[in-house]
Amino acid sequence: MTVNANPPRQARWDGWRRCAVIGTVTLVPTSVLAWVYVLSTYAFSRCLTYGEQCDPDSSGLMSLAWWAFWGSAAAGLLAIVLPARWQAMTWLRPALAVTQLLLQLVTFTAVVAAA
């Protein structure tokens, strides 16, 4: 019977991967918080209920928020699941994590600005 002198290495969770996990987990609550604010405004609730006082520019902002939300989710998930053994991950994971957080900020800002 032989004993393995090199036990299996545990996966390292670097700071950029943790940042991506935190950003991805907080993406939906951040978006919900923005929508709660928007739905509580008088103008948007009037637009939603009666179709009055609707801002024509809000459709462009909602489209931006939609694409920024899904882009943020994709960048965050890629930063989490791509293996660390790839050489490109030394620069790609930080870029994906920062992109994820910036797109999350764009999502929040676009939804709030549509109000």
Side-chain angles (χ1 to χ4, degrees):
M1 176 193 254
T2 60
V3 176
N4 189 0
N6 297 326
R9 198 177 83 164
Q10 292 181 351
R12 273 189 40 206
W13 278 76
D14 59 1
W16 290 109
R17 185 174 278 176
R18 288 176 201 236
C19 179
V21 168
I22 291 169
T24 304
V25 167
T26 61
L27 179 61
V28 171
T30 302
S31 299
V32 168
L33 181 66
W35 274 106
V36 166
Y37 169 74
V38 168
L39 291 174
S40 68
T41 62
Y42 176 75
F44 198 82
S45 63
R46 189 114 180 121
C47 175
L48 188 64
T49 306
Y50 302 112
E52 300 172 351
Q53 299 176 352
C54 295
D55 186 13
D57 296 333
S58 67
S59 65
L61 288 171
M62 289 303 159
S63 178
L64 175 66
W66 170 262
W67 288 108
F69 177 86
W70 289 111
S72 176
L77 289 175
L78 281 174
I80 294 168
V81 301
L82 289 178
R85 67 180 176 268
W86 292 357
Q87 185 66 24
M89 291 313 290
T90 58
W91 61 269
L92 187 59
R93 192 180 316 277
L96 286 170
V98 169
T99 300
Q100 190 271 331
L101 292 175
L102 288 175
L103 286 174
Q104 183 174 356
L105 181 64
V106 168
T107 301
F108 181 83
T109 306
V111 170
V112 170

